[in-house]
Amino acid sequence: MSERLQPGDTAPAFTLPDADGNEVSLADHKGRKVIVYFYPAALTPGCTKQACDFTDNLDVLAAAGYDVIGVSPDKPEKLAKFREKENLKVTLVGDPSKEILEAYGAFGEKKLYGKTVTGVIRSTVVVDEDGKVEHAFYNVKATGHVAKILRDLSIEA
């Protein structure tokens, strides 16, 4: 079970392929706040709802100084299909090795329909301009999560 991040921790650095196979690094966003959200799988109902909510609020988040990166264990090809099918504007990166998911505490044991399984824990980590964890939310709900983040970060939609 990976350790959960706490506010004040240094966010683990990462460089992962996006839907087009280009490398995206957390370091590329230095000087901006970044919302890094972790979701189980592209093209599934809950993950689609969440990605669409982030896409719908991307302008509001960007105006408040936030970039958004979605991380899943999917390969770039599946992320590209997801982006095209749902017309997503949010940056999606794949972590098939689950190394970054684990580093962020977003992979491990979770309850799924009453059973304990190992998998991606739907989580969101807000990283400040200096690469430190500002907020870490674990076991979040796909629906309504973006609205909650906007409230928690005091961002007017």
Side-chain angles (χ1 to χ4, degrees), residues 80-153:
K81 278 190 194 119
F82 189 32
R83 182 185 62 198
E84 264 95 75
K85 182 175 188 283
E86 302 299 337
N87 200 19
L88 301 172
K89 303 280 183 269
V90 62
T91 300
L92 300 173
V93 297
D95 180 23
S97 72
K98 301 178 187 70
E99 225 172 278
I100 302 307
L101 286 156
E102 287 180 6
Y104 275 80
F107 189 85
E109 282 190 359
K110 63 179 185 174
K111 291 266 188 241
L112 189 66
Y113 306 113
K115 289 187 170 49
T116 300
V117 297
T118 300
V120 176
I121 299 161
R122 193 181 300 276
S123 313
T124 300
V125 176
V126 181
V127 180
D128 72 12
E129 299 90 340
D130 300 317
K132 297 269 188 233
V133 174
E134 202 170 274
H135 299 278
F137 307 101
Y138 290 95
N139 293 310
V140 302
K141 301 263 180 272
T143 304
H145 179 57
V146 176
K148 182 180 178 344
I149 288 175
L150 292 172
R151 281 193 307 277
D152 289 350
L153 300 177

Side-chain angles (χ1 to χ4, degrees), residues 29 32-37 50-70 83 87-92 146-147 149-150 155-157:
H29 298 268
R32 295 210 19 107
K33 294 183 178 203
V34 186
I35 296 170
V36 185
Y37 80 96
Q50 192 176 18
C52 289
D53 279 354
F54 272 117
T55 292
D56 293 346
N57 288 283
L58 213 50
D59 291 344
V60 172
L61 290 163
Y66 292 88
D67 295 335
V68 179
I69 301 173
R83 182 185 62 198
N87 200 19
L88 301 172
K89 303 280 183 269
V90 62
T91 300
L92 300 173
V146 176
I149 288 175
L150 292 172
I155 298 170
E156 295 289 321

